[in-house]
């Protein structure tokens, strides 16, 4: 008689050094993939990626999903498949707790869309823990945001926005009565890169949706895009010249730009500003400010700042636990070489900005740190290299500035070259996840299929 051998317990350990990475985003997934391809493949360490979702999408692409101009299927990376091909293990679920003494994290039960439990709550032990859970938007407690504004934090948010946008167009086309003041009016709060890119992308895609036979809508007359910013200019974190060029481009497209406009409240049918003005809007997107996920707040006694980022040394180790690293948007990493901070003892301490290029650089740096840690060698300091910022204005233009020794300071760029640089950041991410040949083949296939596919995706 044959007996079934007992199944291995889920958390069984191999005895190898166990590296747990929480968050498979821009930084975490690159790290898990590279460590899997090296240490995991050679059996030198066990690498476990924990993410609360089943698949990865590069966040700077979210505004394209929201506008309907990107095919998610092509750009989504399935964690389970990625872990199989790149020699790491994947655990689905949301990290909710940490026990530093026992060296394990707590991962909540994972419940599917139909309310069924897929995995129970469990603990995952680590020797080295890397927290890379990103950030979310910060509404600064503004009334009405949670009830009436949409956010662009996940692929599900972006799809929801796209559905509401398309439904708003279909409703307006079908109705017999005149349009209400808020109908087909969009308000985007926050004119950082996300808000600006979304405005430009929406300008184009709303016209394309209407062109699918919704001919009772006149886009120039009926649709309006309002970009609202509390600072005195769009892209306030970037050089003024860049803001001016961007604002001029947006105005040319017909985007209504409100600068120096502080939002007091988001209402069911619009946005009320601090000066009393109300901007009617059917769709409101909150794209201003970031903060780290709330569960990090003083998590197991780790040091956090006022936006709940984990404070780290330049080695990327958290200040109170050398076995725990944090990187990407959820970390506050000193940037002593920041322009304005270097050599000025009176300047406020600067921190690495929450950007995809920082997450990418930190992931590469972490690979070296982990190798050195396993070899018992001293860790190296991470230095953020600011290559500048690029903002895509959809098909209209790309603007940006390039920084650093290569261009001899701060050089403003625009047009095709800027577009190429913008695309290259995503290419580097794809390269880290899939390797050179696959990226080259997929790029070629996208170039071919783009010619035959409709541009706008209706989700
Ligand atoms: C709409 C939009 C546009 C952007 N455009 C640009 C741009 O043009 N250029 C640029 O440089 N930057 C841009 N950014 C910022 C950039 O996306 C981030 O800086 C970058 O993604 C940060 O990478 P990360 O690895 O720290 O976190 P993320 O990429 O945010 O990944 C975090 C991961 O952690 C997971 N996670 C979160 N909480 C938990 C938990 N408790 N347990 C388990 N898993 C968890 C999430 O599911 C996610 O997979 C944009 C951001 C947004 C939202």
């Amino acid at each position: 008689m044959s007996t079934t051998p007992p199944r291995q317990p889920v958390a069984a350990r191999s005895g190898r050094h166990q590296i747990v990475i929480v968050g498979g985003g821009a930084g975490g997934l690159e790290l898990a993939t590279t460590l899997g391809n090296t240490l995991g493949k050679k059996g030198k360490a066990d690498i476990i990626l924990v993410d609360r979702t089943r698949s990865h999408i590069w966040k700077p692409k979210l505004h394209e999903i929201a506008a309907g101009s990107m095919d998610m299927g092509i750009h989504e990376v399935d964690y389970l498949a990625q872990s199989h091909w790149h020699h790491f293990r994947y655990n689905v679920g949301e990290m909710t707790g940490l026990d530093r003494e026992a060296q394990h994290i707590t991962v909540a039960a994972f419940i599917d869309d139909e309310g069924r439990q897929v995995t129970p709550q469990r603990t995952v032990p680590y020797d080295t823990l890397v927290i890379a859970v990103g950030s979310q938007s910060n509404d600064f407690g503004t009334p009405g945001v949670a009830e009436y504004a949409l956010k662009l934090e996940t692929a599900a948010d972006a799809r929801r926005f796209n559905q509401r946008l398309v439904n708003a167009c279909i409703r307006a086309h079908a109705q017999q009565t005149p349009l209400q003041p808020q109908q087909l009016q969009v308000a985007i709060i926050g004119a950082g890169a996300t808000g600006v890119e979304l405005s430009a992308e929406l300008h184009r895609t709303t016209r394309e949706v209407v062109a699918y036979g919704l001919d009772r809508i006149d886009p120039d007359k009926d649709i309006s895009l309002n970009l609202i910013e509390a600072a005195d200019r769009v892209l306030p974190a970037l050089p003024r010249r860049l803001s001016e060029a961007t604002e001029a481009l947006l105005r040319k497209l017909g985007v209504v730009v409100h600068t120096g406009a502080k939002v007091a409240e988001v209402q069911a049918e619009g946005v009320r500003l601090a000066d009393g003005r109300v901007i009617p809007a059917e769709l409101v997107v909150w794209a201003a400010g970031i903060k780290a996920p709330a569960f990090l707040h003083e998590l197991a006694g780790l040091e956090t700042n006022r936006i709940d980022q984990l404070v780290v040394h330049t080695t990327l180790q958290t200040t109170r636990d050398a076995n725990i690293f944090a990187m990407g948007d959820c970390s506050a990493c000193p940037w002593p070489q920041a322009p304005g901070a270097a050599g000025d003892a009176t300047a406020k301490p600067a921190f690495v900005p929450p950007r995809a290029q920082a997450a990418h650089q930190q992931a590469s740096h972490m690979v070296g740190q982990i190798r050195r840690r396993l070899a018992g060698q001293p860790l190296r300091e991470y230095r953020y290299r600011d290559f500048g910022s690029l903002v895509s204005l959809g098909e209209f233009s790309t603007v940006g500035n390039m920084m650093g020794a290569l261009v001899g300071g701060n050089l403003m760029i625009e047009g095709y070259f800027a577009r190429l640089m913008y695309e290259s950041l995503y290419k580097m991410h794809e390269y880290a996840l899939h390797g050179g040949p696959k990226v080259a083949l997929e790029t070629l296939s996208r170039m071919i299929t783009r010619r035959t596919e409709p541009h706008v995706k209706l989700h």
Side-chain angles (χ1 to χ4, degrees):
M1 198 177 78
S2 71
T3 50
T4 317
R7 297 187 70 205
Q8 224 191 351
V10 175
R13 297 196 57 170
S14 63
R16 287 186 283 265
H17 189 95
Q18 185 143 300
I19 301 155
V20 174
I21 302 160
V22 187
L29 187 56
E30 289 189 12
L31 177 64
T33 303
T34 314
L35 289 179
N37 284 339
T38 50
L39 301 177
K41 192 174 179 183
K42 291 182 189 148
K44 292 193 170 163
D46 287 335
I47 294 104
I48 298 179
L49 175 71
V50 177
D51 200 286
R52 61 181 178 187
T53 59
R54 294 271 318 279
S55 60
H56 160 81
I57 197 94
W58 198 57
K59 264 180 154 183
K61 288 269 168 207
L62 287 183
H63 69 271
E64 292 180 39
I65 303 173
S69 51
M70 195 190 96
D71 189 341
M72 256 193 72
I74 296 176
H75 296 270
E76 210 170 14
V77 179
D78 183 277
Y79 288 125
L80 198 58
Q82 183 76 3
S83 69
H84 171 71
W85 295 117
H86 299 279
H87 316 282
F88 63 89
R89 277 191 286 148
Y90 160 60
N91 267 229
V92 66
E94 181 165 354
M95 173 180 171
T96 50
L98 166 68
D99 185 331
R100 286 165 52 201
E101 215 152 283
Q103 296 208 171
H104 68 231
I105 62 165
T106 305
V107 177
F110 181 69
I111 313 289
D112 70 13
D113 293 343
E114 291 163 55
R116 281 182 304 208
Q117 181 172 301
V118 181
T119 50
Q121 173 172 307
R122 61 217 179 274
T123 57
V124 181
Y126 64 84
D127 296 301
T128 300
L129 175 64
V130 184
I131 302 182
V133 290
S135 61
Q136 53 199 49
S137 56
N138 189 350
D139 65 17
F140 309 101
T142 310
V145 176
E147 294 91 327
Y148 304 117
L150 292 153
K151 295 180 179 181
L152 272 193
E153 289 168 8
T154 62
D157 293 340
R159 270 197 302 257
R160 191 172 313 122
F161 177 87
N162 181 262
Q163 266 171 10
R164 290 231 198 140
L165 176 76
V166 175
N167 287 346
C169 290
I170 296 174
R171 187 183 304 117
H173 172 75
Q175 87 187 36
Q176 299 303 323
T177 50
L179 295 181
Q180 298 289 311
Q182 80 282 3
Q183 265 192 284
L184 298 180
Q185 312 295 301
V186 181
I188 299 164
I189 303 167
T194 304
V196 165
E197 290 183 346
L198 183 63
S199 312
E201 202 74 47
L202 283 179
H203 171 85
R204 180 171 64 83
T205 54
T206 45
R207 274 147 186 81
E208 290 187 22
V209 170
V210 167
Y212 287 169
L214 307 183
D215 50 12
R216 294 183 61 218
I217 301 173
D218 174 352
D220 290 330
K221 201 162 97 337
D222 298 328
I223 301 178
S224 106
L225 300 171
N226 292 278
L227 182 61
I228 305 169
E229 171 58 52
D232 65 347
R233 58 189 175 102
V234 302
L235 301 174
L238 300 185
R240 188 168 284 276
R241 236 177 101 203
L242 207 66
S243 303
E244 285 163 4
T246 306
E247 188 168 332
L249 267 161
L250 289 172
R251 288 195 193 278
K252 214 162 114 192
L253 295 179
V255 175
V256 187
V257 179
H258 308 260
T259 47
K262 197 169 175 318
V263 172
E265 184 186 4
V266 179
Q267 302 168 332
E269 294 182 346
V271 175
R272 186 170 60 80
L273 302 180
D275 63 10
R277 274 181 299 155
V278 174
I279 298 170
E282 181 171 14
L283 280 166
V284 178
V285 184
W286 185 271
I290 65 128
K291 64 181 169 70
F295 84 97
L296 292 182
H297 183 71
E298 293 176 5
L299 178 71
L302 294 177
E303 188 187 358
T304 47
N305 65 9
R306 67 184 167 78
I307 55 165
D308 292 337
Q309 288 172 313
L310 291 165
V311 182
V312 295
H313 296 297
T314 46
T315 55
L316 304 181
Q317 281 162 309
T318 50
T319 49
R320 294 182 189 152
D321 194 323
N323 296 323
I324 302 177
F325 294 74
M327 60 177 217
D329 285 12
C330 73
S331 68
C333 177
W335 184 20
Q337 304 80 16
D344 180 356
T346 59
K348 272 209 316 206
F351 293 91
V352 174
R355 296 214 189 119
Q357 60 171 307
H360 173 74
Q361 289 174 20
Q362 290 183 339
S364 305
H365 190 78
M366 268 308 302
V367 173
Q369 298 295 68
I370 288 192
R371 284 210 191 105
R372 284 183 277 275
R373 195 169 144 81
L374 292 184
Q377 293 164 352
L379 301 188
R380 291 209 186 131
E381 295 203 335
Y382 163 72
R383 268 177 87 123
Y384 175 57
R385 279 158 297 148
D386 190 2
F387 293 115
S389 300
L390 292 155
V391 180
S392 161
L393 297 162
E395 63 176 5
F396 308 104
S397 187
T398 299
V399 294
N401 67 322
M402 287 184 72
M403 310 270 296
L406 203 64
V407 291
N410 188 348
L411 175 76
M412 183 160 159
I413 53 171
E414 203 182 324
Y416 187 68
F417 179 62
R419 179 88 221 157
L420 221 72
M421 297 301 294
Y422 182 86
E423 292 290 341
S424 72
L425 190 59
Y426 183 50
K427 285 277 163 263
M428 285 195 295
H429 179 63
E430 286 191 303
Y431 181 82
L433 300 190
H434 309 301
K438 186 162 185 241
V439 173
L441 274 175
E442 279 181 0
T443 307
L444 192 67
S445 112
R446 270 176 225 160
M447 282 164 72
I448 296 164
T449 49
R450 196 176 283 173
R451 292 178 202 284
T452 53
E453 273 182 11
H455 216 97
V456 175
K457 300 276 163 199
L458 307 181
H459 295 292

